[in-house]
Amino acid sequence: STLLVSIAKISSSVEGNFRLNQSTILPLLKQIFKFNEEHKSILRTSGWASSVDESNEIVNTDILLKMLQQNTCGLKQNIALNGLFGLSFLLLKTKASPTLNKFAIDFLNEIIKKRQEFTADILRIIIKMLFCEKNKTPIIQCLSTILQNRHLDINATQVSMRKLIEDLTELDIDTALAMESVIFTVISKSIALRALMLDVMKAALYQKNTEVRKMAV
């Protein structure tokens, strides 16, 4: 209940629009979840740690986050939605925390399924993270999951996809190749995006950077 109140408080300044909150509470919540996951991992792998730990303070993060996800996605009122958006984006880029990464991916995917008005904003932020964050694996996985969502409104992806395609050669070669595969389905459904992709790749063939030319080929 304390967590839900905290997230609702983070969201309280947002009325009817999506704005990523910069509350100081969010990094604290992220660290609490991360430390809890690390604690569980130690207890699973160390018999000694399990035998001497008498705190019994481990929280079932999976159940807690799933409960928040289900209850919030079902609400048309944005009581805690903006706070959960902020928490999700923080958890998405958390290093060495697959459980927390998975919650973020599932939550954002579920939001797009049930609240499609947030699709464009969610994609915009995730694509920005792709270029800014070092821990790219969960971000790529998140984009892949969202773009395979059968509820996805392709029209809502156009602006974000154009930005991604135009800047694709700015990514490292491994990330760029992964993203080419991820966005293939969306590109195949849009004549405009397909034409843009061809133009960007044709231009990349003449760049000095060997890796960029390989990507284009």
Side-chain angles (χ1 to χ4, degrees):
S1 60
T2 302
L3 176 61
L4 187 56
V5 169
S6 298
I7 291 176
K9 184 177 179 181
I10 293 168
S11 302
S12 61
S13 61
V14 179
E15 293 292 342
N17 66 321
F18 176 58
R19 184 172 71 250
L20 193 58
N21 200 291
Q22 301 298 318
S23 169
T24 55
I25 300 175
L26 288 176
L28 175 61
L29 289 177
K30 186 199 82 168
Q31 286 303 109
I32 290 172
F33 282 121
K34 183 173 174 58
F35 289 152
N36 188 69
E37 288 303 302
E38 291 172 350
H39 188 191
K40 286 198 298 186
S41 178
I42 291 171
L43 294 183
R44 281 196 304 267
T45 56
S46 172
W48 175 83
S50 181
S51 66
V52 300
D53 190 308
E54 299 177 353
S55 63
N56 295 318
E57 293 296 328
I58 297 177
V59 176
N60 192 321
T61 311
D62 296 344
I63 293 177
L64 178 58
L65 291 176
K66 190 68 175 177
M67 177 194 70
L68 289 171
Q69 172 187 322
Q70 290 174 343
N71 284 289
T72 305
C73 288
L75 292 174
K76 288 302 180 183
Q77 301 88 0
N78 300 335
I79 296 172
L81 192 55
N82 199 63
L84 271 173
F85 271 131
L87 180 60
S88 296
F89 288 121
L90 279 180
L91 297 183
L92 180 61
K93 61 185 181 181
T94 303
K95 295 180 180 178
S97 300
T99 300
L100 302 183
N101 299 153
K102 185 178 185 303
F103 162 74
I105 293 170
D106 290 347
F107 174 73
L108 294 170
N109 195 46
E110 189 71 11
I111 281 290
I112 285 176
K113 183 190 300 183
K114 296 185 177 180
R115 304 288 301 277
Q116 294 186 15
E117 67 269 28
F118 294 109
T119 298
D121 288 314
I122 290 172
L123 284 173
R124 173 178 54 80
I125 291 174
I126 296 174
I127 288 172
K128 183 178 180 181
M129 290 172 64
L130 184 68
F131 287 88
C132 298
E133 300 296 329
K134 293 182 180 179
N135 186 29
K136 298 185 187 300
T137 300
I139 299 171
I140 294 171
Q141 184 182 354
C142 185
L143 279 170
S144 178
T145 302
I146 288 174
L147 294 178
Q148 292 173 26
N149 189 334
R150 62 187 177 87
H151 300 276
L152 185 70
D153 179 3
I154 298 299
N155 292 328
T157 72
Q158 297 294 308
V159 174
S160 295
M161 288 298 101
R162 286 189 66 86
K163 176 65 175 173
L164 174 59
I165 292 169
E166 289 169 353
D167 296 338
L168 200 58
T169 56
E170 302 299 319
L171 293 168
D172 64 272
I173 184 65
D174 290 335
T175 302
L177 289 173
M179 287 312 305
E180 284 184 338
S181 176
V182 166
I183 65 179
F184 178 80
T185 301
V186 173
I187 290 176
S188 66
K189 295 178 180 179
S190 169
I191 295 174
L193 291 180
R194 189 161 63 246
L196 177 62
M197 184 71 169
L198 288 172
D199 288 342
V200 171
M201 290 301 102
K202 286 176 185 176
L205 286 171
Y206 297 96
Q207 288 198 20
K208 292 182 180 180
N209 189 317
T210 305
E211 294 299 314
V212 172
R213 295 203 302 272
K214 286 181 181 178
M215 180 192 69
V217 171

